[in-house]
Amino acid sequence: MAIGVFDSGIGGLTVHHRLVERFPTADFLYLADQANAPYGGKSGEEIVDLTRAGCVRLFEQGCDVVVLACNTAASVALRRLQQTWLPGYRREAGRSVNILGIVVPTIEAATGLPWEHEADRRGDKVEKLDVLGVFSTPATARSRVYEIEIDKRRQDVAVFSEPCPDLARMIETGAPRMELTTVIAGHVKALAIRIGRHPDRAILGCTHYEIVADLFRAALPPGTPLIRQPEATAEALARYLTRHPEFDPGSSSRRLFLTTGQPGAQHGLVEAFWGEPLSFQSA
């Protein structure tokens, strides 16, 4: 048995890296759908179909639990797959499997409340708004998942999303840091202009962005808290596995990296983030 981690490309490695640290003896399979990356500009139906195909591949490789380490896939496809496809797949496969995402843990971290909590709508006046900025792909921004779900739980948090077209692609292909610095600074400035000031806190709502989190920190005012998706996801998975002992994460520390794209060594941006050279096998 193993834990599967799925992303459109290299961004999910940020979550995968933290999961490996949190569960050092567990077996992990990582699948990057680099042949179809990035997902941020695709239609909802395309994202659902691609995400489903990735989950099937990981289930067939022996994973019981698949973590969607991709905000776009988790925002657009997760609920639909859980509700309309997964029950039938379980019956056909004859075993318990599940798909989890990174959006729910992120919203729990942003609100400080469990997912099940919903605010009591009494119309009380909010004395001070906590302004939360979300940098994401266009598809995640269109879904409005962060605005909708955070508003259900906290009336004192105002969410503003800034779609960042092409940023995930630039990170995926190893764009120069100077070029990334300019693009990220532009998005931070655009969000501040739209809000009328900088956000009090920020979510890097695409796991690719975590690779260049230092560039976001440099563009934001000093000390602006970043809500870290890898940490939130790792802790949420630990709680989930405790509640569901029927899912066995394995115990041999196996690590396998698969790609639908070109197999082989990844570029220097990945190597610098991961801390050592990283090579993918063909899926």
Side-chain angles (χ1 to χ4, degrees):
M1 300 300 105
I3 298 171
V5 180
F6 177 76
D7 184 49
S8 62
I10 61 170
L13 290 171
T14 58
V15 173
H16 181 61
H17 191 271
R18 182 67 189 100
L19 292 179
V20 169
E21 292 178 335
R22 184 66 175 78
F23 307 96
T25 62
D27 299 327
F28 284 96
L29 277 71
Y30 183 89
L31 174 59
D33 189 17
Q34 292 178 304
N36 297 293
Y39 281 9
K42 297 184 183 300
S43 70
E45 287 301 316
E46 286 180 289
I47 294 166
V48 170
D49 290 343
L50 292 169
T51 304
R52 179 171 53 239
C55 290
V56 168
R57 182 76 174 105
L58 287 167
F59 289 148
E60 289 176 345
Q61 286 283 318
C63 298
D64 283 342
V65 175
V66 171
V67 177
L68 299 184
C70 171
N71 280 269
T72 302
S75 300
V76 176
L78 178 57
R79 181 171 296 180
R80 181 165 158 189
L81 293 179
Q82 287 176 329
Q83 293 178 347
T84 66
W85 172 72
L86 199 54
Y89 182 87
R90 289 185 184 122
R91 289 193 297 271
E92 292 177 10
R95 64 188 179 103
S96 294
V97 295
N98 205 2
I99 308 170
L100 308 176
I102 60 175
V103 171
V104 169
T106 304
I107 289 171
E108 289 180 329
T111 60
L113 296 167
W115 181 254
E116 297 77 16
H117 178 88
E118 290 200 12
D120 181 15
R121 299 286 178 174
R122 296 178 299 176
D124 294 344
K125 182 180 179 181
V126 176
E127 295 296 333
K128 185 178 185 302
L129 276 177
D130 176 15
V131 177
L132 178 63
V134 181
F135 299 95
S136 71
T137 67
T140 298
R142 285 196 302 271
S143 77
R144 292 185 54 79
V145 64
Y146 286 105
E147 289 90 337
I148 292 168
E149 297 298 341
I150 289 175
D151 183 64
K152 286 181 183 178
R153 293 159 177 82
R154 291 277 300 270
Q155 291 179 277
D156 61 338
V157 178
V159 181
F160 294 85
S161 289
E162 170 66 16
C164 306
D166 293 330
L167 182 55
R169 178 194 59 77
M170 292 171 64
I171 297 168
E172 182 77 22
T173 56
R177 279 179 63 85
M178 186 60 69
E179 187 177 346
L180 291 168
T181 298
T182 301
V183 170
I184 289 169
H187 285 303
V188 170
K189 181 179 179 180
L191 181 62
I193 290 173
R194 189 148 50 83
I195 297 173
R197 64 179 179 88
H198 284 290
D200 298 308
R201 298 181 293 154
I203 293 173
L204 302 187
C206 171
T207 49
H208 280 79
Y209 303 170
E210 186 74 24
I211 295 175
V212 291
D214 61 315
L215 301 183
F216 277 95
R217 285 196 198 90
L220 289 162
T224 302
L226 293 183
I227 296 168
R228 310 301 296 274
Q229 291 193 306
E231 285 77 2
T233 304
E235 293 310 309
L237 181 59
R239 294 192 297 270
Y240 181 83
L241 293 176
T242 298
R243 295 195 307 271
H244 296 276
E246 69 271 21
F247 293 117
D248 181 2
S251 59
S252 63
S253 301
R254 182 165 64 110
R255 311 282 182 258
L256 182 62
F257 299 88
L258 303 173
T259 180
T260 61
Q262 184 67 38
Q266 296 299 297
H267 57 66
L269 193 60
V270 176
E271 183 175 331
F273 159 75
W274 193 259
E276 59 182 305
L278 189 62
S279 183
F280 285 178
Q281 299 178 27
S282 177

